[in-house]
Structure formats: C-alpha cells, structure tokens
Amino acid sequence: MAIDRLFEPLRVAALSGGRLRTAVAYPLCPTSLGAAIQARDAGYIEPVLVGPARRITALLAEMGVRTSDLEIVDTPDDEKLAARAAAALARDGAARMLMKGSLHTDHFMSAVVARESGLRTDRRISHAFVMAVAAYPKLFILTDAAVNIAPTLQEKADIAQNAIDLARALGVDRPKLAVLCATESVNPSMPATLDAAALSKMADRQQIRGGDIDGPLAFDNAISREAADQKGIVSRVAGDADILLVPDIEAGNMLYKELTWLAGAGTAGLVLGTRVPVLLTSRSDSMDARVNSCAVAVLHARALLATSSALP
C-alpha cells in the first residue's frame, strides 16, 4: 500500500476552505522557512513570519522567494521574544495556527503554555502523531510521544479526549482508542494496566466523550484482529484502533521512531489542548511530514472554529 494515499484525503479536504493565517515563530533556517513557503504554495496556510525582519528578508532572498508576497512581523533577534509575539498573534485572533520555526522547542512551548499567552484551556496540553504505515489499512494517531513524560490518570483522560477530538476533525465519526500496555490483562503490579481499565470505564460513563476506549491492550491485539481473536478478546476497539494511547513518553517516543525509521511511516504532528493548533516541527521532519502536519492542523483549526465552545 502506498502510504501517501492515506494522507491524500486529508490534504484534499484541507484545501477546500482556503489558506489559514499561521504565525511562524523565528523561521531562520532554510528548512523551517521553506516548509512554511511550501505549505503556502500548496494552499494550506498564509504564513506570518515572526522574527528579525532583516535576517528573514535576507534568507528569503537567498532562497529566491519574493518578500513582497509575505507578511513579516519584525521582532528583536531573540527566540523567546519572537515566540511570545507569535503566540500573541494567535491569542488576539490575528492568526489561526502557530508553527515552530528554527528556535528551541522549550522557548517555543514556554510561550504557548504561559498563562498570559491566553492559549491554554482547562485540558492538559498533549501531542499527537498522525501516522500511516504500509501494514495498516488506515491512518492512526499515536499519543503522547512528545510532551507528557509520565502522565497521571487524569492527564491520560485529557490526552485521550484531545486525540478523539482530533480524529473526529479528520473525519472519523466515532474513533476507537486502544490504551496500550505490555499486556491485555489488568495486573495490580503494573499501574499502566489499572489506568487503562479506568480510562475504559471513564468512556463508558461519558467522562471521555465521542469515542470507544478499550484497555489494557497489547500492541499486537490493538492493531490485529487475528491477534485479538487468538487471545479471545471481545472488543469494538481491538484490531481496528484509530488511536494508540501510550503509557509514557518513553514508550511513545520509541514506538514513533521505530515506525518512522524501520517501517517507513508517513507522519504528521500536532500539539493539542490549546485554543489554536500548534505545529511543533522537528529538524529531522521530512518536507512531506511538514506539509501533512499543516493539512492536519488546518482541519483541526476548522473544527475548533466550528465548535468554539467545545474546549472550556
């Protein structure tokens, strides 16, 4: 299966409503600036470049891009100040999305999560990778492999709700979320299995809404109906998961990198639980991954705009 075709419906859907204004914080390397330009040229975003105007203009000239076609918000040559200025644009409604440029992730995220940014909600902020692999017939979401180190039960509930909302924005009517553990059996000696069982019951009681949750599930029976049947697991989720929720960042990060580097996964990434989508790109991301991320972010942004009261 060509994994590109799994992302194609999202790319097409994202193009249907025109470009969204996106504040790009400190885009001072060819990769980050080039990704913003490519996403603009593809029809997904209208970038607002936030940083020292002289350096941005010089880099655009080196890349052969016309500066007259782009909006630049001039700031001092300081990563933290550029990040705050970009966050302020989103807070004030001048941008519908935020994108990380070439600054350090901690400087960027500090501006996003600061209380004065106005971008936080009552939900825990989390990260989701949308992934495509040749061995699975549909896109799936992996969360959280980038932000939350060792989430508590309540934080996992927020992570689950964030991911379910994203999956719905991407066109999945009722997402199926598998809570991954090392085993599909509840074991009091393994706290992650207790959290998984609690999350399943929280979904039953509508404390987590909009999707079906089951766990604990081991990775094999989360994504393989055959594996689930062999172990006698009766579940709406097993073998057909749309979302994989990992127990901690180490499990998530390793799983993400294994799928990317060994299985050749196609990816997109997004920070969730904020009032606007936040694109937390990495220097190692391919250009396809960056454009996929923009398409996913556009769809999520439109869903947030359509249901602005969904996040308190």
Side-chain angles (χ1 to χ4, degrees), residues 18-29:
R19 298 181 179 92
L20 287 184
R21 283 173 60 83
T22 302
V24 186
Y26 209 75
L28 287 173
C29 72

Side-chain angles (χ1 to χ4, degrees), residues 221-297:
N221 43 61
I223 55 93
S224 167
R225 170 53 60 187
E226 180 181 1
D229 289 344
Q230 287 174 350
K231 294 190 176 181
I233 298 171
V234 179
S235 167
R236 294 188 299 272
V237 175
D240 192 34
D242 299 294
I243 303 166
L244 304 177
L245 191 152
V246 298
D248 56 39
I249 197 171
E250 293 182 75
N253 187 269
M254 285 186 279
L255 182 54
Y256 163 71
K257 289 179 178 175
E258 287 161 2
L259 290 170
T260 302
W261 291 96
L262 290 179
T267 64
L270 198 60
V271 172
L272 308 172
T274 47
R275 295 195 180 277
V276 300
V278 177
L279 292 121
L280 191 64
T281 52
S282 167
R283 286 172 295 180
S284 63
D285 286 344
S286 68
M287 198 62 74
D288 279 345
R290 291 170 184 267
V291 174
N292 287 341
S293 296
C294 286
V296 168

Side-chain angles (χ1 to χ4, degrees), residues 158-173:
D158 283 348
I159 293 168
Q161 189 68 70
N162 288 342
I164 287 171
D165 289 348
L166 175 61
R168 289 170 60 86
L170 301 183
V172 183
D173 289 336

Side-chain angles (χ1 to χ4, degrees), residues 24-29 32-33 79 100-104 281 283:
V24 186
Y26 209 75
L28 287 173
C29 72
S32 61
L33 187 54
E79 292 186 1
K100 174 179 170 286
S102 55
L103 72 169
H104 290 290
T281 52
R283 286 172 295 180

Side-chain angles (χ1 to χ4, degrees), residues 176 187 292:
K176 300 173 183 177
N187 184 337
N292 287 341

